[in-house]
Amino acid sequence: MRFRRRRPPIVELLSTWSDGPPPELPDEPPDDGRTIRWSAGALDGVVARHGEATVETERGAALAELIEHAATGAPEARDALYEAARAEGIVFALDEALDALARSGVAAEPVGELARRMAGEALHREPLKLAISLLGEAGDERDVELLETVARHDEFSLVAGVALASVLDDPIQAWWRVGCLASGWGRVEAVGRLADMDDELPGEVRAWLLRHACTSAELPDHLAHMCADAGALDAALDGLVDDELLDGACAILSGLVAGGSEPDMDDYEPGPRVAAAVLDLLADRPPSVVRMWAVVDLRNWAEDYEQHVAIAERCGRLLARPEARRFVARRLERPGEVLRVWGIAESMGFDPWEAGWTHLESAPVDAELYFQHRAAIAGRAWRPTPSVRCRSTPWPPGRRTASCPPAPTAKPPTRWPSSCRRCGPAAGRRSSSPPPC
């Protein structure tokens, strides 16, 4: 018989994750290419903000009863609780279950032990979320390390943040930790909770919101307004501005002008003033990718408003600086950076298509570069370059195979007879020109 590979518990999987994209969870269904799924942590965030009408009271009460029985240590009760928690959408019933459990008067210690055991063994995300929530109610400082481990994954950041806030008895420090650990929707939720406590935020948290929250985030457009407002960006730019703060301000401005469903530049009253202050600072600082993107994004935004023409003109002057053009030209020559500056190069009048093709010939398995190159082709007329040897099969580029059609040849020019029955002899007319008739 064929042996099945052991699936590690989720906590064990996350504890070995050190860098790069998050690992695939053990209960992740296969991708059939047709099903649209929630990104990690997105559903929980929607429920937390807009889920008052979707609370599952009956399921919450049933879970509370199973928790009470499982806390006694009966194995069959623990198995029943785990299976009941596996159903999707446990976030709709968590609050009701915890409230019912608190009313039952069950002791905290056995519930905490049950939660630790379930968290360490869980192979499915929903039971792990239940265990994390129970640790928030019955855990202590011994559980901080486990909670921070699962908070790194956006799928568990929200429930882990709520539990940490209860265990540490310090919501600001708890959500700040979660914001530093997560990068996607988990960070959005953490920054949102910090923004709700705007009046109580210490200086170090405000500094993190301005310097790091957007620069290393996957969803800066969802964070920009909250970071600028809660971090008091306009006041921070009035003082000494170091490179780290300037880069953070650039990332925030790019997020603000991106628009979308979140509050944007039009909703941020000091926006034009902040943009002008940042452009003043950029005039005296060396270029970087985040700074160049801020200038490009600000120009694209300002060109749509008659009252912001001056900002658009200042952005144009910054993009025309020789050092800025040299910066982008050098990065177009580097395979690892051509995609980072592709949009900047187009805004500055460069043609990144040629550089992209050159890099693609040397690395035909670079899927992102290939996708960008093909997208650029779709929006422009095809212009063959000397390096293009097979236009019909650009993957892999540069090699003609037996399946390729013959290379197109130039059509010979039409040659007309030197004499015509109606017009007579050519009389100085070239044979490549048709007769007058």
Side-chain angles (χ1 to χ4, degrees), residues 32 44 54 62 99 126 142 145 154 162 165 179 204 223 255 282 298 316 325 332-334 345 365 390 402:
D32 58 7
D44 292 2
T54 56
D99 291 342
E126 304 301 318
R142 294 175 297 172
E145 182 178 357
D154 292 309
V162 174
E204 56 187 358
L223 296 168
L282 290 177
L298 281 173
R325 298 187 65 82
L332 286 175
E333 297 172 357
R334 304 173 184 174
V365 295
C390 179

Side-chain angles (χ1 to χ4, degrees), residues 243-286:
D243 287 342
E244 201 173 57
L245 176 57
L246 180 58
D247 290 344
C250 288
I252 289 174
L253 286 174
S254 290
L256 283 172
V257 301
S261 59
E262 298 297 323
D264 56 16
M265 194 71 156
D266 295 335
D267 304 301
Y268 183 51
E269 188 273 332
R273 186 170 66 253
V274 168
V278 169
L279 293 176
D280 284 341
L281 293 166
L282 290 177
D284 300 323
R285 306 288 178 96

